[in-house]
Amino acid sequence: MRRTRTRRLAAMLSAIALLAAGCATPGNPAPSSAPGNTGGSGAAPSTSAAPKTLNLAVDVSSEPSAGMILIGRGGAVGGENYWMFHSGLTVYDQDGTLTPRLAERVPTLANGDWKVSPDGTMEVTWHLRQDAKWHDGTPLTADDFVFGNTVRTNRELGITDGPPAGLIAGTAAPDPHTFVVNWKQPYVTANASGVSDFPALPRHLMESLYQQGDKQLFLASPLWTTGFVGLGPYKITNWQLGSQLEAAAFDQYLLGRPKIDRIIIHYFGDPNAAIAALLAGTVDMTPVGSSYGPNFLVDVRSVWEPVGGGTAMPVPRGVRNLRLQYRDPSAPWARDPNIRRALTHLTNRQELVDSVEFGLSGSVDTYLNGDSPILPQLQQAGLTRYPFDPTRAAQLLGDAGWTRGADGVYQRNGQPFVFQMAAPGLGNYPQIATAVAGQWAQNGIAATPNTIPSSAANRDEQQANYGGAIVWPGVFGEPEMQAFTTGQISTAETRWKGSNFGGYSNPELDQLDLRFQETLDPAQGNALLVTMLKLMADQAVAIPMYYLEAAVMFRKGITGPGKVAPNQLASSWNAHTWDIN
């Protein structure tokens, strides 16, 4: 692994030399302007200060070409776009504290904006800031949220209808600055609303198109992509699909005009080229949503630290895990938890931490961060652990009728145990798939690694139909449990959107998660989460491997980016405060 890293770093340094000479790497055009440079003819600067420009490098899969919100990709890759170009009612700060954004205040039971009726229904009232405006200068109104909820809950549009959308009885706008959400039942985070759960959509631009009833015409509107009009600190000015997106500071942004005048997002198909551009100074920053992992962080640190070139910091974001495929009921692991337990025993987590993660992480047995107050409760409840143990795995496989053949591969009824290990073409995901497949192959499973290209137009469909397991960046706590509920299964009808792309379904887990959503008492909620986590471990539903560390990297002279909340993985949550010199 060290030799591989040395070769990669040497290749990067060579690429840096090319970039510094003004050359572009194949398939990745050189940025149109260097950091802080606005391009132009090279004439002498005027007496006024030159506009500040920040260049970002992100993986091409982060490009919201399918849609900026609702119909595009979510998660960390979507989060950067959410907060750069749009806004939600609330936002989590770097310490995970819920704070208002488009709302004047966070609704609570104490301030009366959150009311629970004896029958369990709820009413949450949002008081909107009166200085929020769309990028075209039109004032935001509560009707924009009502319209957004109408679109969000229209199942014919193929938008996954998980919490909270499925729990909403209706919405209303009693006046332009008051948005009311009526809930069918209690919901634990009813007073938290990011960009995509109660989305504001520009009714004055989109409603007439929506009312025409042509679903395909509505979804194909450039208002979702190149013509997006949002509420965020930056507005799109020029978007060359597959190459770069340019955005200008929104002068009328509700929290004040951003300090940086222009942001250019460069989309890279090759992560090595992106990191080379960062080290060469042709881009300034890779945010959390870029999905460049610890291997690149180590490379950048090795160059920057000796000369004080910038900041390369890990950001805890969740638990790296293997999501198993359950759509094929004939797959051995889909019907037999003992097979899943055996596969988990064949996964050497610590070896992965040492080799693929460069020792920056730690192995795990569940989906909680190490300092979670719930972890001791789970341990007391009897968390099932699966240490690396090929002998125990052999026993479990033998009990299920699998024996090793002359070639060392497990067989049953003359058929070898074949397993496809997939990974998105992001960061070090392919290396992880290769490493795990290698561990399993050494112990009798005919596992082969595969990569789903990040540039593939049907990558979501490929994720949902891979053959065995896929390397995935899980999150902490209940949101990860929700990703295994039946309501989140991705299908062709949802255009393969949905966090449960493996197709796992367990009525007991569904019911536990629903009760969690309805529970407003923290102690009861924690007890339900412990039960869900224990069920996941007992049944070996997926294979948690180690703490996932994302990376945010930015050159010297940039201020503002840094720590982010694990439940809101986007450096851009405070992009309006960033500065550059």
Side-chain angles (χ1 to χ4, degrees):
M1 181 62 66
R2 180 172 297 177
R3 184 178 302 169
T4 300
R5 175 176 169 255
T6 300
R7 287 198 299 265
R8 185 179 70 248
L9 187 55
M12 283 185 185
L13 293 174
S14 176
I16 291 170
L18 289 173
L19 285 167
C23 299
T25 55
N28 292 287
S32 62
S33 60
N37 179 14
T38 59
S41 62
S46 65
T47 54
S48 59
K52 297 179 179 180
T53 299
L54 178 71
N55 287 270
L56 300 180
V58 302
D59 189 90
V60 70
S61 67
S62 300
E63 184 178 28
S65 55
M68 189 67 71
I69 61 171
L70 293 187
I71 66 173
R73 294 172 67 79
V77 295
E80 300 293 358
N81 302 310
Y82 289 171
W83 296 105
M84 187 77 70
F85 305 112
H86 207 24
S87 292
L89 289 164
T90 59
V91 64
Y92 290 97
D93 67 14
Q94 70 274 10
D95 298 316
T97 302
L98 187 65
T99 60
R101 179 63 59 96
L102 293 175
E104 290 184 343
R105 63 186 185 185
V106 175
T108 66
L109 296 171
N111 65 25
D113 292 341
W114 186 352
K115 299 177 181 177
V116 181
S117 301
D119 63 358
T121 59
M122 303 192 310
E123 181 181 276
V124 177
T125 300
W126 296 90
H127 300 285
L128 306 181
R129 290 183 58 139
Q130 298 187 27
D131 53 355
K133 292 183 179 181
W134 294 97
H135 288 159
D136 63 359
T138 303
L140 170 72
T141 70
D143 284 323
D144 294 322
F145 282 97
V146 173
F147 173 62
N149 186 68
T150 299
V151 174
R152 172 75 171 85
T153 55
N154 185 341
R155 296 301 298 273
E156 293 183 0
L157 295 178
I159 300 171
T160 52
D161 193 17
L167 307 180
I168 296 174
T171 59
D175 64 63
H177 304 293
T178 306
F179 173 55
V180 179
V181 181
N182 292 297
W183 295 82
K184 302 174 185 178
Q185 61 195 53
Y187 179 60
V188 64
T189 53
N191 67 338
S193 175
V195 171
S196 61
D197 44 6
F198 306 146
L201 293 178
R203 187 173 64 94
H204 63 291
L205 298 176
M206 302 184 77
E207 187 176 47
S208 60
L209 182 60
Y210 177 77
Q211 290 177 342
Q212 292 180 27
D214 188 327
K215 178 179 68 174
Q216 296 304 322
L217 181 65
F218 180 64
L219 294 176
S221 169
L223 288 169
W224 294 105
T225 53
T226 55
F228 182 76
V229 175
L231 298 160
Y234 288 90
K235 60 180 181 180
I236 297 170
T237 57
N238 183 32
W239 188 349
Q240 302 172 33
L241 290 173
S243 178
Q244 66 182 41
L245 184 157
E246 297 188 27
F250 181 38
D251 292 336
Q252 300 177 357
Y253 181 55
L254 77 164
L255 296 181
R257 188 186 189 281
K259 298 178 180 179
I260 297 174
D261 303 291
R262 184 174 67 151
I263 285 182
I264 305 177
I265 301 175
H266 303 275
Y267 300 114
F268 286 85
D270 179 2
N272 292 300
I275 301 304
L278 177 67
L279 293 175
T282 55
V283 299
D284 304 297
M285 174 182 172
T286 63
V288 171
S290 296
S291 299
Y292 299 136
N295 51 329
F296 296 110
L297 185 150
V298 170
D299 289 337
V300 172
R301 274 185 174 176
S302 68
V303 175
W304 276 357
E305 282 191 347
V307 296
T311 299
M313 59 183 291
V315 177
R317 59 170 293 183
V319 173
R320 178 79 76 192
N321 66 108
L322 289 179
R323 296 276 193 91
L324 297 169
Q325 173 62 269
Y326 290 88
R327 294 178 190 269
D328 179 5
S330 67
W333 57 88
R335 60 178 183 265
D336 187 349
N338 273 337
I339 299 296
R340 303 195 293 269
R341 294 175 183 127
L343 294 175
T344 310
H345 277 302
L346 292 179
T347 307
N348 190 334
R349 298 173 172 90
Q350 190 57 51
E351 181 180 83
L352 295 173
V353 169
D354 294 339
S355 60
V356 182
E357 297 299 304
F358 303 96
L360 295 176
S361 182
S363 60
V364 296
D365 297 287
T366 188
Y367 300 91
L368 293 175
N369 52 325
D371 58 358
S372 170
I374 303 173
L375 186 57
Q377 298 180 39
L378 178 58
Q379 292 168 336
Q380 292 173 6
L383 171 64
T384 304
R385 301 178 185 274
Y386 301 93
F388 179 60
D389 190 344
T391 301
R392 177 57 180 153
Q395 294 172 345
L396 291 168
L397 289 166
D399 292 343
W402 293 89
T403 57
R404 298 187 78 159
D407 59 357
V409 175
Y410 281 100
Q411 302 179 29
R412 187 174 66 180
N413 300 325
Q415 297 298 316
F417 198 128
V418 177
F419 199 99
Q420 297 295 317
M421 187 81 64
L426 296 171
N428 63 351
Y429 290 30
Q431 290 91 334
I432 298 164
T434 299
V436 177
Q439 291 177 353
W440 290 8
Q442 290 177 5
N443 290 283
I445 305 298
T448 54
N450 301 274
T451 298
I452 298 174
S454 58
S455 59
N458 67 335
R459 59 183 179 272
D460 293 323
E461 182 178 0
Q462 289 190 55
Q463 281 178 188
N465 292 283
Y466 59 89
I470 189 168
V471 176
W472 201 248
V475 295
F476 289 126
E478 185 274 337
E480 186 68 8
M481 302 302 95
Q482 194 179 119
F484 291 92
T485 57
T486 304
Q488 283 295 312
I489 294 177
S490 59
T491 64
E493 288 71 27
T494 67
R495 302 190 321 283
W496 303 107
K497 305 299 180 183
S499 55
N500 187 355
F501 47 79
Y504 179 77
S505 181
N506 184 329
E508 182 181 0
L509 182 64
D510 291 346
Q511 186 60 34
L512 286 167
D513 191 68
L514 181 61
R515 288 173 57 195
F516 179 92
Q517 306 296 340
E518 298 174 348
T519 300
L520 303 183
D521 179 83
Q524 294 179 10
N526 289 345
L528 287 166
L529 178 55
V530 165
T531 303
M532 286 189 282
L533 291 166
K534 189 174 186 305
L535 182 154
M536 291 283 290
D538 289 345
Q539 294 296 311
V541 175
I543 305 177
M545 296 186 293
Y546 52 82
Y547 290 117
L548 174 59
E549 302 283 352
V552 57
M553 298 174 282
F554 49 93
R555 69 165 178 82
K556 182 180 179 181
I558 296 174
T559 57
K563 183 181 176 184
V564 300
N567 56 343
Q568 181 186 275
L569 293 168
S571 295
S572 61
W573 73 273
N574 68 342
H576 61 288
T577 69
W578 296 355
D579 206 348
I580 185 172
N581 57 48

